[in-house]
Amino acid sequence: MQTFYRAWLTVLLSCRCIFVIAQTKQSFKAFTAPIDSFRSRLPIEKLYLQTDRNDYAAGDTLWFKAYLFNSDLLRSGTRSGLLYVELDDSNNKMVKRQLVPLAQGLSWGCLAIDPKDTPDGIYTLRAYTNWMRNFGEDRIFTKTFYITAPNNNPRLVATNFKATQQQGKDNIQAILQFTGLNKQPVQLKDMQLKVMSGKHTLFNSKARTALDGQISLNFTLPDNIPVKNLIIISQDVVKGETVPGAMAIPIALNRPENTDLQFMPEGGNLVAGIPAHIAFKAIAEDGNGADLEGKIYSSNQTLIGTFKTLHAGMGAFDMTPQPGENYTAKITLPDGSVKTYPLPLVSLSGTGLKVMAKGPDSLELTLSATADLAGKGNSYYLAGQARGVVCYGAVITFTHQVVKITVANSIFPSGIAHFTLLNAGHQPLNERIIYVNHQDNLQISVVPGKAIYAPHDSIALQLQVSDKSGKPVSASLSLAVTDDNQVAIDSTASNIFNSLLLTGDLKGTVEHPGYYLDNDHPETLTALDNLMLTQGWVGYNWTEIYGPPLKPTYAAEPTFIVKGNVNNLFNKPMDGAQVTLLSKKPVLFSQAVTGKDGKFAFKGIIPVDTALFFIQARTKNGKDFGVDITVDEFAAPVFTSAIEHPAPWYVNSDTATLRNRQNREIKQIEDYNLTHKGTLLNTVVIADKKIVNGSENLNGPGEADQVLDETDLEKVPKKTIDELLLQYIKDFKFYGLWLPCDTCRVVPAYYMLKDKLINFIIDGVDMNFLFKQSRSVQTPWALDRMEFLKKYLSYLTAEEIKGIEIISSFQYASRYGLKYLGPTVPQDRYAFVEITTRDGKGPFMKKTPGNYLYRALPYTLPKTFYRPRYTAATKPNGADLRATIHWEPQIVTDSTGRANVSFYSADKPGKYTVIVQGADLNGAVGYRRSAIIIK
């Protein structure tokens, strides 16, 4: 395996296969030099995340292993040392984001799916490095799934939708059948049903389920409402009022007349007289491939040929377009009507490019040109790329209308190869991508210690990794074991192999990516080539390659660095400025001096816990006047909506998902009974309690003596915090000190709550700590503290904050006192005000000269997957109903290619699926799925 990659590297870097006609090698090298330069300046990273499973609910933990590679050789990524992993809702609002350190391109961790943060809905897991953002969203790792609150509504719904046209409008007929988890119908239940398009209500009605649990709806859609964005919101009605526990039911329609059909000629164009291989793709209303067949007609309605989909709405056919013709495709709909689709226009002049396999080891390229272009002596460039590297090239002169070239596919690595024919002006004329498969992925075997195991049994697995020739390979692997009774397994889902070598180089979503590389059956190979012809390629833009050199927008982050700039009043870099960095947790004090460019950097910092840094800049003379400091902060990306929209688990639920939910209900009742020694009661909802979303309140959001929430703040958007406190918080006041001055007036020096001194906390940041770091020794302490606080309290307005929580009673203040004052301070003399801002950045003031409060995203360090241990003498404490039986993210095979894994089975008999994925970090990746039987 490694020998092959060393050989391929030699081909890439030293001896490209160059086929030259009527030109010199120097001419082609001049053509490829900008490509090599572009790749060296903007090398691509590829990322894959294995998760423990593909289905989650609120309350679950999502476990992941990250593999980062340099794209060209699939070796471990070394450019980036920081990985961002985030969970976004259907509106692309970030719910949770983690910063994960990478070592040799590897990392692992978990995301706790908190029910408080994840209401019912579609969520997308995204992972990326800052460097990957330079290459667009197609390079970002994404995984979409539906998350449902565990106690939201233990109920199922089966759906049946039908659409008809009535007076030019879409009429939707919906039949919904509601059942419990036991599949018994929900009888005679009053419900409120709303049809929603985004935030707009299109239909609103109350209905009652029949004895079989069914409800029928019939409604007409307004004009220009896209059907695929519609959902039905169902809520139970009790005594005329809706109760919590809404169900979101997507309206799924696939009307044949709304199928989108596109035709894509091989090479990109239909050219008169040049034989064409034409691929097509049919997309149904739900965004998935549609099966259909049809006929091709000329402009005088002469039948030219037929076509039929092979897989996932894709297929291909051959024809030779004629000059002056306009071709159309016709399909017959189920109601007997015919729908017509145009084929691309036929060009009278142009070139063509066809690529097909010639035996197992070669490719035959056919380049064609119309008569007006052949024999003119014009030069064209033909480039064959893989992973951004030019592996093959030729300078072509069409002495005849057809030029045929045979290329050994051994000069390309496994994966997508991209051929482009360009003119002398470096403008692409024809493009074609193909898939090259050397069958050189890692061979992984999983051997259980015995054929059948019992519940609570110790399971031992031996993993063996080798290359194509059987030579042992040392590799980094991750392993997930799931219960088939609870987790549905899709054999055609994405894995590290098809993600890195196939879908990672294609635009958009590929349905069932595992199908294409699962075997070498002729039909599968044809479907794979159809995919190559119809799916967009993710690669370099030729205009960018031959245009002015591009600078990356986003810098690579090899490690965590706090860096920024210090400027003077005239926005000029300040040379020799003294910069101090302070941190309370971990305790850190560091200093730096800016260079002529005004830049500073602090390295070797590990951001943990709150990762809060107070940074202060002063002139050479220690003054803060005219000093402006900025810190390079991570600018969070805003992504476009995910294309995939999976339905909630309770809609047309499969057996495995249903069992998983049933086990959740059993476990919930058991856990409650073990804790309370009683019967599980209905959920109690505490009404009228004000909650501040995102609060850092140590007692929990809303757990305070007085609360101003967003509703309160929306009524007074322009008021500052100190104005809000004076007007709305009981017993809030200033306390004054007599200071010697000409007028002998009282100067306010303390903020008080009745007789207690107030400590202010902004987004979990203790303002006393900040004050102590920045206070001036020339000013009286009390007055200085008051002025420091007032800067922030009069700077932030109600528009910029989510809520204010007053903590004064011993019930709530005790935790604050221990954390912020310590056990020796009399805590009954202090109150606390917790302020939550909208951006969550803490007490950040752009107007504060010479100071900067930087709240970095802290490292999320790996946690250990819980592993129960059973012996003959021990019994499980409660039901063991794990959906993920075992997760092990870092398994390294030894020099013999072996590694051992052990864990215990759960309560119930059945079948476990074992999925192992990994890489040798030197060019090869592998995937293996196997089974374990529990009886």
Side-chain angles (χ1 to χ4, degrees), residues 720-770:
T720 61
I721 291 179
D722 52 3
E723 291 172 336
L724 289 167
L725 294 171
L726 279 170
Q727 184 170 349
Y728 295 105
I729 300 304
K730 183 181 178 182
D731 297 327
F732 179 83
K733 62 182 180 181
F734 293 145
Y735 180 78
L737 285 178
W738 285 96
L739 295 179
C741 58
D742 294 338
T743 58
C744 294
R745 61 186 178 85
V746 176
V747 178
Y750 293 95
Y751 287 110
M752 306 288 293
L753 188 73
K754 203 171 185 178
D755 57 348
K756 296 182 178 182
L757 182 66
I758 293 178
N759 275 29
F760 288 91
I761 315 293
I762 301 181
D763 291 334
V765 178
D766 180 12
M767 297 300 292
N768 266 352
F769 166 72
L770 291 186

Side-chain angles (χ1 to χ4, degrees), residues 96-112:
K96 184 171 292 190
R97 180 182 290 122
Q98 292 183 351
L99 179 63
V100 182
L102 289 158
Q104 295 300 309
L106 301 175
S107 190
W108 53 92
C110 61
L111 277 171

Side-chain angles (χ1 to χ4, degrees), residues 118 162 164 254 314 348 433 490 616 883:
T118 53
K162 182 180 179 181
T164 57
N254 276 325
M314 291 174 284
L348 295 178
I433 62 174
D490 181 1
Q616 189 178 73

